[in-house]
Amino acid sequence: MKDKINSILSEAKNKIAEAANEGELQSVKSSYIGKQGSLSLLMKEMPKLDVSLRPEMGKLLNQAKKQVTKLIDEKRVELKLKASEVSSDFDCSVPGILPSGGGLHPITQMCYDLNDAFRSMGFEVFEEDEITSEMYAFDKLNFPPNHPARESMDTYWIEGHDSGSTNEKLCLRPHLTGGSVRYMQTHKPPYRFVYPGRVYRNETTDAHHERAFFQYEALIVDKDITFTSGKVMIQSILSKVFGTHVPVRMRSGFFPFVEPGFEIDMQCQVCGGKGCSVCKHVGWIEVMPGGSPHPNVLRAAGLDPDEYTGFYVNIGLDRLVMMRYGVDDVRLFHSGDLRFLKQFK
């Protein structure tokens, strides 16, 4: 047994000395002190030895394993130090390869710019999960039970949505507004916050529509908020984003979660209001719904609609980016095509 231990130890020392990289060193470790290594297998032969020899052989075997472990650790340090050495034939005068620099996606950059603009006006930035429930996506937003937006033709439902309470029926959030209700339930009024994020709709994609796209919601709730304040907020934000005055118009529109509600348009920045394929040749493009939160929505958030009012907008972030850069197809932003995205670095 003693001769076997010495022979294996000598062999292990040679293998460790010859190891040229971390992979070879790991192989040596497995071969000698791993579970099926040579020294480990000798431990299984101990019961066959004479009882009087076992303590001595056991001590020698443990010492050998410790010695191999120590040599492997020292060799590992040596290999790491050598790995940082520059080869003697390395030519420092040869020009290097400039690494390609990354950049923010244009939608991400727009989101950051809006965050900065709203923070400068005292708004908080709020974020939430992309999975929500029917209760927050529809019930608490004043959607009637038979509203078509609840159908799978519009909303991506998660398996099991056809049973249980509305709080147990889960879906990919079709809009951000339900998250705003959740925010109001967990914070004390007055509220002044924005809520950016990705939403999902089951619809046919074209130059103006995607199945997964970004929205940017802003909400003010207080005891005395006027529509004039809301319109000034919209114009201030658009001017901040585009660096110039952007004409805005507000048309009466119906949305279950606001009353009164408006469709808010901005002058098309691609054609300057003259008419193009992006604005469908009308010179204006709808960028957000808006209005005062519906009394039922305020009640769902635990507020008294006779005491509180507010102003809400939900910006189509992708369309706003299209306006900023003069892009006429929203699908380009989600294509992952570096030839397109590198233009915005």
Side-chain angles (χ1 to χ4, degrees):
M1 172 69 79
K2 186 175 182 179
D3 292 339
K4 282 186 179 181
I5 294 173
N6 290 333
S7 175
I8 293 173
L9 181 59
S10 176
E11 182 181 327
K13 289 179 179 179
N14 292 333
K15 293 289 186 181
I16 293 170
E18 294 171 359
N21 52 58
E22 179 66 27
E24 293 181 7
L25 191 61
Q26 186 61 37
S27 178
V28 172
K29 182 178 180 179
S30 300
S31 299
Y32 292 97
I33 58 175
K35 289 184 178 181
Q36 298 299 319
S38 302
L39 291 176
S40 299
L41 292 176
L42 284 180
M43 293 292 293
K44 297 180 180 180
E45 297 184 17
M46 293 294 291
K48 300 177 183 178
L49 295 177
D50 187 271
V51 177
S52 61
L53 295 175
R54 290 178 188 175
E56 181 184 358
M57 294 301 105
K59 183 178 179 181
L60 287 174
L61 192 54
N62 286 329
Q63 288 177 343
K65 293 182 73 172
K66 288 180 180 179
Q67 190 173 357
V68 171
T69 300
K70 181 181 178 182
L71 291 172
I72 288 174
D73 291 341
E74 291 174 351
K75 184 66 176 182
R76 182 174 285 112
V77 173
E78 179 186 335
L79 290 173
K80 287 182 178 179
L81 292 174
K82 285 184 176 179
S84 62
E85 294 178 356
V86 178
S87 174
S88 57
D89 59 355
F90 180 75
D91 187 355
C92 296
S93 65
V94 175
I97 300 174
L98 184 67
S100 58
L104 291 175
H105 191 283
I107 294 177
T108 302
Q109 183 63 63
M110 174 68 83
C111 183
Y112 288 174
D113 291 345
L114 286 172
N115 286 348
D116 292 341
F118 276 104
R119 282 194 179 107
S120 69
M121 296 190 293
F123 282 71
E124 177 187 350
V125 178
F126 171 63
E127 293 183 0
E128 201 183 41
D129 297 334
E130 296 185 3
I131 294 178
T132 187
S133 65
E134 185 176 16
M135 177 184 290
Y136 282 94
F138 300 108
D139 292 353
K140 291 187 179 294
L141 298 182
N142 199 43
F143 281 80
N146 59 348
H147 196 283
R150 295 177 184 255
E151 302 296 329
S152 57
M153 67 181 69
D154 281 342
T155 300
Y156 287 111
W157 292 97
I158 294 175
E159 186 177 1
H161 75 278
D162 51 352
S163 62
S165 66
T166 56
N167 195 38
E168 297 172 325
K169 297 177 180 180
L170 303 181
C171 61
L172 296 180
R173 60 186 181 193
H175 44 236
L176 299 176
T177 314
S180 297
V181 174
R182 202 189 303 271
Y183 175 94
M184 290 190 286
Q185 288 180 324
T186 55
H187 294 73
K188 293 182 179 180
Y191 308 115
R192 186 181 290 251
F193 67 95
V194 293
Y195 177 19
R198 193 196 308 264
V199 298
Y200 303 86
R201 302 274 178 84
N202 186 12
E203 56 183 310
T204 303
T205 61
D206 57 30
H208 311 287
H209 300 88
E210 266 286 9
R211 292 187 179 93
F213 54 97
F214 289 85
Q215 291 182 344
Y216 195 100
E217 188 167 295
L219 178 62
I220 304 174
V221 174
D222 210 332
K223 294 184 178 180
D224 186 20
I225 298 294
T226 64
F227 273 87
T228 304
S229 301
K231 187 171 183 180
V232 168
M233 178 187 72
I234 295 168
Q235 290 178 324
S236 299
I237 292 302
L238 293 178
S239 298
K240 176 80 172 179
V241 168
F242 291 97
T244 184
H245 173 70
V246 179
V248 173
R249 71 179 186 183
M250 299 173 67
R251 297 177 290 114
S252 177
F254 172 76
F255 303 96
F257 38 84
V258 288
E259 180 60 42
F262 294 89
E263 294 187 18
I264 303 170
D265 304 333
M266 62 176 284
Q267 187 182 75
C268 180
Q269 300 298 293
V270 176
C271 63
K274 297 178 181 178
C276 65
S277 61
V278 174
C279 62
K280 299 181 180 178
H281 304 284
V282 297
W284 296 88
I285 185 166
E286 180 187 347
V287 289
M288 61 189 91
S292 180
H294 194 285
N296 289 340
V297 175
L298 293 176
R299 291 190 187 98
L303 300 178
D304 183 356
D306 294 327
E307 183 179 2
Y308 288 95
T309 183
F311 195 84
Y312 155 92
V313 292
N314 189 312
I315 302 168
L317 199 57
D318 297 28
R319 293 185 181 181
L320 211 58
V321 178
M322 292 172 70
M323 293 293 98
R324 171 185 269 188
Y325 298 109
V327 177
D328 60 3
D329 194 329
V330 68
R331 293 170 293 188
L332 293 170
F333 291 114
H334 303 281
S335 65
D337 191 336
L338 292 179
R339 295 171 300 177
F340 172 76
L341 295 176
K342 283 181 179 179
Q343 301 176 75
F344 306 99
K345 287 171 55 176

